[in-house]
C-alpha cells in the first residue's frame, strides 16, 4: 500500500476508531465507577459517571469533527481535479464514514444524561 | 384505538397489555403503538417505492436513484427518526419501574405451579401470607420483590407493566401503581414445567379503605367453624394430613410447602387461577388434583366419600 493509500484508509477509519475508544471508555468507566460504588461522587458539580462520559464523548466528537473536516477538504479537492475511481471512492467514503461517526458518538453519549448512572 | 381496530379483538380485558390500568403500562403501551404503527408505515412506504422502482417506466422512476432521494430519504430520514426514538425510548425506560418512596412492599415467590405471596408488616399492621392472589390499593405505588423456589418463573401483570424474571437465589423487583380499581390477571411468563400454562393469579385493585379492610382480615387467624358440618370439615383437614403442606393460621396446620389456606375462601379462584372458588370446584380440586393439573405438587385425594368431600370443601370455603 502506498503512503497515500495508508493515509486515506486511516482518515476513513478515524471516526470509527474514535467511536470505539469512546465506547471502551464509557463502558470501562461506568462499570468501574458503579462497581466500586463511586456512583455518587461528583466532579465539577457533575456525577463522576456522567462527567467521564461527557469527557469521552466531547473528545471523541472533537477528534471526529477534525477528521470529518479533513475528509471534506479531500473530497472537495478531488471534485475539482480529475482523480482515479479508487481515489474518488476513498475520499467519498471517508467523508461519509466520519459524518456517520459524529452521529453515533452523539447517540452513544445521550443515555448518560437521561438514565440514572448506575441503573 | 387504532390498534384495537387492527387486532379485531376486544382490547379491554383482565389480562391485556392493550388496556393499561397504570402509568407504567400506559408508557409501554404507547411505545408499542408508536413502534408498531411507525414500522408498518415505513414498511409499506419502502415496499411501495420498491414496486415503483421495478414497474414504473424508466423516465418516471429516475428520481429514485437521484442524489436528493438518497441524501434525504436514505440518510436524513433514518437519522432524524432514530435520533427521536432513542431519547424517547430512554425516557420511557427511565420513568418505568421506578421505586417510589412510601411504596407498599409485597413479596412473591414463584413455585411450580403457584404463587406464594407475603405482605411484610408495616407500622402496627402485622405481616401475613396468602397465595395466588395479589390485592393492591389504587393510587399507592407498589414495590413487588420476586424470587423463585425451584426453577425460573416470570411475573407479569400485563395491565400494569412489564415482566420480571423470578430467579432462585436472587431477588428482583418490579414497581408500578394501579390507577383504576378492578380485577386483573397476572401470569407466569417463563416456561417452568408441565403446568406452566396453568400458573396464573388474580390481581384485585381496591380503593385504599377497602384494601385496609382486606389486609386487616387477612392478618387474622382463620375463623372458628360454627356449623357441625364445618367442624367435621376441619377435622377431615386435620386427619387427612393436609396440614403437613398447608398453613391454616389458628389451627395446628402449619405446613409451609403449599399455599397458605387461612383465608382461602376469600380468594376469587383456586389452583393458581384455574377455577372460580366455590364448594364444587374445591371438592373437585381435592379429589382430582392430578387430573386437573397433572404433575402438580399435591396428591389427588380420591378416597374421600362424597359427603366428606363436601364437608372438607365447605370448611375451606368458609375460611373467608
Ligand atoms: Cu412458572
Amino acid at each position: 500500500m502506498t503512503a497515500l493509500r495508508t493515509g486515506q484508509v486511516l482518515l476513513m477509519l478515524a471516526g470509527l476508531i474514535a467511536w470505539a475508544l469512546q465506547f471502551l471508555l464509557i463502558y470501562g468507566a461506568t462499570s468501574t465507577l458503579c462497581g466500586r460504588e463511586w456512583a455518587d461522587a461528583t466532579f465539577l458539580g457533575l456525577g463522576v459517571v456522567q462527567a467521564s462520559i461527557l469527557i469521552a464523548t466531547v473528545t471523541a466528537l472533537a477528534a471526529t469533527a477534525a477528521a470529518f473536516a479533513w475528509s471534506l477538504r479531500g473530497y472537495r479537492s478531488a471534485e475539482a481535479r480529475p482523480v482515479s475511481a479508487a481515489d474518488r471512492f476513498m475520499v467519498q467514503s471517508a467523508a461519509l464514514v466520519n459524518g456517520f461517526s459524529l452521529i453515533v458518538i452523539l447517540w452513544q453519549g445521550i443515555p448518560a444524561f437521561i438514565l440514572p448512572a448506575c441503573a | 384505538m387504532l390498534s384495537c381496530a387492527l387486532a379485531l379483538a376486544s382490547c379491554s380485558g383482565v389480562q391485556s397489555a392493550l388496556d393499561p390500568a397504570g402509568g407504567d403500562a400506559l408508557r409501554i403501551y404507547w411505545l408499542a403503538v408508536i413502534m408498531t404503527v411507525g414500522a408498518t408505515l415505513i414498511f409499506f412506504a419502502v415496499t411501495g417505492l420498491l414496486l415503483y422502482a421495478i414497474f414504473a417506466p424508466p423516465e418516471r422512476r429516475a428520481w429514485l436513484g437521484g442524489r436528493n432521494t438518497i441524501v434525504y430519504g436514505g440518510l436524513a430520514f433514518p437519522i432524524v427518526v432514530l435520533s427521536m426514538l432513542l431519547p424517547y425510548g430512554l425516557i420511557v425506560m427511565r420513568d418505568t419501574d421506578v421505586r417510589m418512596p412510601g411504596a407498599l412492599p409485597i413479596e412473591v415467590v414463584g413455585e411450580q405451579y403457584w404463587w406464594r405471596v407475603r405482605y411484610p408488616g408495616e407500622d402496627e399492621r402485622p405481616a401475613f401470607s396468602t397465595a395466588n392472589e395479589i390485592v393492591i390499593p389504587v393510587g399507592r405505588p407498589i414495590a413487588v420483590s420476586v424470587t423463585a423456589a425451584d426453577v425460573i418463573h416470570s411475573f407479569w401483570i400485563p395491565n400494569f407493566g412489564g415482566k420480571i424474571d423470578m430467579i432462585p437465589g436472587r431477588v428482583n423487583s418490579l414497581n408500578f401503581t394501579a390507577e383504576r380499581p378492578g380485577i386483573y390477571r397476572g401470569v407466569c411468563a417463563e416456561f417452568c414445567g408441565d403446568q406452566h400454562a396453568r400458573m396464573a393469579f388474580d390481581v384485585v385493585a381496591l380503593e385504599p379503605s377497602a384494601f385496609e379492610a382486606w389486609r386487616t382480615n387477612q392478618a387474622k387467624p382463620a375463623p372458628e367453624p360454627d356449623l357441625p358440618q364445618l367442624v367435621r370439615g376441619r377435622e377431615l383437614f386435620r386427619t387427612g394430613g393436609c396440614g403437613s403442606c398447608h398453613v391454616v393460621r389458628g389451627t395446628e396446620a402449619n405446613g409451609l410447602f403449599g399455599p397458605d389456606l387461612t383465608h382461602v375462601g376469600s380468594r376469587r379462584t383456586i389452583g393458581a387461577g384455574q377455577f372460580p372458588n366455590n364448594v364444587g370446584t374445591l371438592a373437585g380440586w381435592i379429589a382430582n388434583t392430578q387430573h386437573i393439573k397433572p404433575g402438580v405438587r399435591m396428591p389427588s385425594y380420591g378416597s374421600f366419600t362424597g359427603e366428606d368431600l363436601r364437608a372438607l370443601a365447605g370448611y375451606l370455603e368458609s375460611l373467608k
Side-chain angles (χ1 to χ4, degrees), chain A residues 110-111 113-116 119, chain B residues 20 22-35 83-100 160-163 174-176:
Chain A
I110 287 175
F113 301 92
I114 298 182
L115 293 178
Chain B
D24 284 18
L26 190 67
R27 273 184 286 276
I28 295 172
Y29 169 77
W30 277 113
L31 181 71
V33 168
I34 289 172
M35 295 294 288
S83 296
M84 291 189 318
L85 281 181
L86 175 69
Y88 171 56
L90 291 170
I91 288 168
V92 170
M93 213 160 141
R94 179 193 66 192
D95 295 345
T96 303
D97 191 14
V98 180
R99 173 129 209 182
M100 304 293 242
F160 289 129
K163 301 170 189 160
L174 183 74
N175 302 276
F176 63 89

Side-chain angles (χ1 to χ4, degrees), chain A residues 6-87:
Chain A
T6 310
Q8 282 175 333
V9 170
L10 280 181
L11 181 61
M12 184 163 86
L13 295 182
L16 297 180
I17 293 170
W19 180 27
L21 290 177
Q22 180 216 19
F23 203 100
L24 195 71
L25 271 169
I26 289 183
Y27 276 71
T30 307
S31 39
T32 310
L33 294 170
C34 293
R36 293 184 181 269
E37 294 179 357
W38 288 339
D40 295 332
T42 54
F43 177 73
L44 301 179
L46 207 61
V48 273
V49 174
Q50 276 93 350
S52 8
I53 294 178
L54 189 65
I55 292 169
T57 304
V58 169
T59 317
L61 277 179
T64 308
F68 185 51
W70 191 264
S71 49
L72 273 186
R73 247 182 50 185
Y75 176 67
R76 292 227 183 78
S77 67
E79 295 275 273
R81 63 197 155 80
V83 291
S84 73
D87 281 331

